[in-house]
Amino acid sequence: MIILMTILTLVLVYLVWQRWELSRFKVTKYQVSSHKLKEPASVAVVADLHGFIYGEGNSRLLREVADIAPQAILIPGDLLVSKYPHTYETAYEVLRELVKIAPVYYSYGNHESRLQEPECAGYPLFEQYLDKVRALGVHVFSTESRSISLGDNRVMLSSLELELDYYEKGFIAPMDGSYMQERLPLMNPGMFQILLAHNPAYAEQYAAWGADVTFCGHNHGGLVRIPGIGSLVSPQLTLFPKYDAGRFEIEGKHVIVSRGLGTHTFHVRVFNRAELLAVEFLPE
């Protein structure tokens, strides 16, 4: 009886702790320097919100984004959950407020990509969502590059939308060496190049392609993290994902993987708090 009561108590404590943990996020700061930049600039990176709400109307999240004073807000995908229509409205409401802070650049994650399939049940509603989002002035990216202003800098912002085959559960599909250049030709190597690419499994390909800094999400920090070791499993069900969270330097290029702000399916965060990224770009 004592053993049973102890187990039930531990389970209750865990559930209460997880409920508390899933209602919080932190701001993680990074600095990226480059000789291609003329003046300092800053961006906020909002990844994998998945319809989460922090405070009424996401007031806590919006306040933290505003405090960063960004010249741009970058969203590397999964603002919603494809099978939950109510998250589309949450995503729209957040975007409606974010555009009041700074220009918003929104690229697709696997959840948005899935909703573009005409046979998907959510396809008509997603099309309506996109029309409303674009009407707000949000810059919606698929696989493309655009020159944008970042403070006093002119930089190249690119987005890569991967086919859904690259999100299959349980393994990492190989990517052909020519894939990046064929899908997304590098427009101007002399300009500072930012890439939004949802899936971090292909970080080495992004760096080799020429992105000075790539922003990813998708792995949610690996759900469960062991201090000093890293994540145990990704939402894609791959064990010990190499590019789980944080900054990685590859041949002088930066790949920054957000732990994301929300979860779906597996609502678990152990030693793995959600995060908003504040990134400062500096001339070298």
Side-chain angles (χ1 to χ4, degrees):
M1 185 64 178
I2 294 175
I3 294 175
L4 178 60
M5 289 300 294
T6 300
I7 292 173
L8 291 174
T9 300
L10 290 174
V11 170
L12 179 61
V13 168
Y14 170 77
L15 292 174
V16 171
W17 172 54
Q18 277 297 285
R19 183 176 179 83
W20 181 85
E21 189 68 19
L22 288 167
S23 68
R24 280 157 176 76
F25 69 93
K26 65 177 184 177
V27 178
T28 304
K29 298 180 179 181
Y30 292 100
Q31 287 186 337
V32 175
S33 299
S34 174
H35 68 276
K36 299 177 183 178
L37 297 169
K38 297 178 180 178
E39 301 290 340
S42 63
V43 299
V45 181
V46 178
D48 296 274
L49 183 63
H50 286 302
F52 265 51
I53 299 173
Y54 293 98
E56 186 176 353
N58 257 313
S59 57
R60 282 192 285 137
L61 173 60
L62 293 166
R63 184 169 61 249
E64 292 290 354
V65 172
D67 285 348
I68 295 169
Q71 275 79 47
I73 299 167
L74 307 180
I75 302 175
D78 281 8
L79 208 55
L80 43 74
V81 180
S82 59
K83 63 182 177 180
Y84 297 140
H86 71 273
T87 64
Y88 307 4
E89 187 60 29
T90 300
Y92 171 76
E93 290 171 358
V94 168
L95 290 168
R96 184 180 61 200
E97 299 305 314
L98 288 176
V99 295
K100 299 175 184 178
I101 300 172
V104 176
Y105 301 93
Y106 178 11
S107 69
Y108 293 152
N110 54 304
H111 280 260
E112 286 89 1
S113 294
R114 191 176 298 128
L115 287 165
Q116 292 185 91
E117 301 291 328
E119 62 272 17
C120 177
Y123 174 78
L125 188 59
F126 183 65
E127 289 295 296
Q128 295 173 27
Y129 161 80
L130 283 181
D131 288 342
K132 291 168 58 179
V133 165
R134 290 191 175 101
L136 291 173
V138 174
H139 303 277
V140 180
F141 279 57
S142 180
T143 295
E144 59 187 291
S145 297
R146 304 182 199 174
S147 173
I148 69 166
S149 294
L150 198 59
D152 292 328
N153 303 288
R154 199 72 188 168
V155 305
M156 190 66 71
L157 177 63
S158 299
S159 168
L160 176 69
E161 182 185 7
L162 291 174
E163 292 88 351
L164 292 175
D165 291 346
Y166 288 97
Y167 293 101
E168 288 293 330
K169 300 291 186 185
F171 75 105
I172 298 173
M175 179 181 284
D176 188 78
S178 62
Y179 178 89
M180 288 288 298
Q181 191 59 36
E182 289 177 356
R183 290 286 312 281
L184 190 65
L186 193 62
M187 298 291 288
N188 189 335
M191 292 180 71
F192 186 75
Q193 176 71 60
I194 301 172
L195 175 65
L196 303 180
H198 186 66
N199 191 343
Y202 305 98
E204 291 163 30
Q205 286 89 334
Y206 305 152
W209 171 76
D212 292 294
V213 60
T214 303
F215 293 110
C216 307
H218 187 56
N219 276 345
H220 301 177
L223 304 180
V224 176
R225 298 181 67 82
I226 298 176
I229 296 178
S231 63
L232 290 180
V233 61
S234 75
Q236 206 162 326
L237 303 181
T238 55
L239 296 176
F240 303 103
K242 182 177 181 180
Y243 300 107
D244 52 357
R247 184 213 299 259
F248 302 88
E249 277 204 48
I250 305 171
E251 299 295 327
K253 308 295 186 181
H254 303 270
V255 177
I256 298 177
V257 184
S258 171
R259 297 182 187 184
L261 283 155
T263 57
H264 69 91
T265 310
F266 304 107
H267 298 292
V268 177
R269 282 195 180 274
V270 178
F271 304 120
N272 181 33
R273 182 159 291 184
E275 65 181 358
L276 167 71
L277 303 187
V279 183
E280 185 179 13
F281 294 118
L282 299 170
E284 193 172 73

